[in-house]
Amino acid sequence: MELLKGKVALVTGAARGIGRKIAEAYAVEGADVAFTDLTRDENMASLEKELTALGVKCKGYASDASDFAAAQEAADAIASDFGKIDILVNNAGITRDTLLMRMEEEMWDLVIKVNLKSVFNFTKAVQKYMLKARTGSIINMSSVVGVNGNAGQSNYAASKAGIIGFTKSVAKELGSRNIRCNAVAPGFIVTDMTGKLSEDVKEQWVKTIPLRRGGVPEDVANVCVFLASELSSYVTGQTISVCGGMT
Ligand code: NAI
């Protein structure tokens, strides 16, 4: 359908998992795609090759999204290489799950830094390009855990709830400049992140999902296509759950 033809998208943490599927879906819709991940590895090279074969421009950048200076540097390099940045997907994220009783200070600090500060870092870095263009769509990857909370994930839940507050504020700040900002709250999506969970835990999760299955990364990517495209031109400051009816 080429919903994103002529657009430049930047997706963080996209070498695998949900971010990779978002990058693929954007390329299928005609966008040029810049993406980041921690290191330049096989995954990064294979995504560049795969998307370039679709006839769009694609380049991966090794960059730690949680590092303020590195994020500004990556965004500036991307704007220079691609000419502009129309769409930003703040996808990079990690878990360090345990009960509060066992949670070390480092586990708290790292999850807040990677999940929440990264969103600040890249949103701030692309803001000037979107303001100049007087258009933009920012999509922040939250979680149902940020909406509902979850035992054993107080650090992760706090980071993902923080993203929702940030999203609503940025939507209010930048709306008058035609820049939209929304959050996506996936439920249980089958990726490397959730692959670490035991079969027992996974079965229990599925029982609580009205659609009776875990989601696939494509389920999240489809909503990200909607939020990046003109189909959602009157949608901003919202959190869209992609959770099979969990919330
Ligand atoms: P994943 O672990 O499969 O992929 C995450 C990617 O982010 C990896 O390629 C990783 O190298 C990269 N990354 C990690 N730290 C980074 C950093 N500091 N800078 C740059 N890249 C970094 O995870 P998944 O499942 O694809 O998750 C993607 C996003 O979706 C995360 O924000 C996660 O919290 C969120 N999410 C995932 C759910 C799930 O069930 N899988 C549910 C709800 C939200």
Side-chain angles (χ1 to χ4, degrees), residues 12-20 36-39 41 43 61 63-67 90-95 113-115 118 122 141-145 156 159-160 163 184-197 205 215 217 220 242:
T12 68
R16 64 165 199 240
I18 293 171
R20 187 176 181 109
T36 72
D37 213 294
L38 283 171
T39 51
D41 61 6
N43 288 338
Y61 297 77
S63 176
D64 178 352
S66 73
D67 179 321
N90 283 307
N91 166 77
I94 57 165
T95 51
K113 185 168 183 247
V114 175
N115 293 3
S118 297
F122 265 101
M141 205 53 71
S142 180
S143 165
V144 289
V145 169
Y156 185 78
S159 71
K160 295 298 186 181
I163 287 175
V184 176
F188 179 77
I189 310 296
V190 183
T191 66
D192 288 352
M193 183 179 270
T194 45
K196 292 179 224 156
L197 300 170
W205 268 93
V220 181
V242 186

Side-chain angles (χ1 to χ4, degrees), residues 85-104:
I85 301 171
D86 300 299
I87 301 155
L88 167 66
V89 185
N90 283 307
N91 166 77
I94 57 165
T95 51
R96 289 293 181 276
D97 299 347
T98 194
L99 296 174
L100 182 57
M101 194 185 285
R102 298 201 196 104
M103 193 174 290
E104 306 288 342

Side-chain angles (χ1 to χ4, degrees), residues 108 121 163 218 234:
W108 173 272
N121 289 346
I163 287 175
E218 288 83 347
Y234 202 53

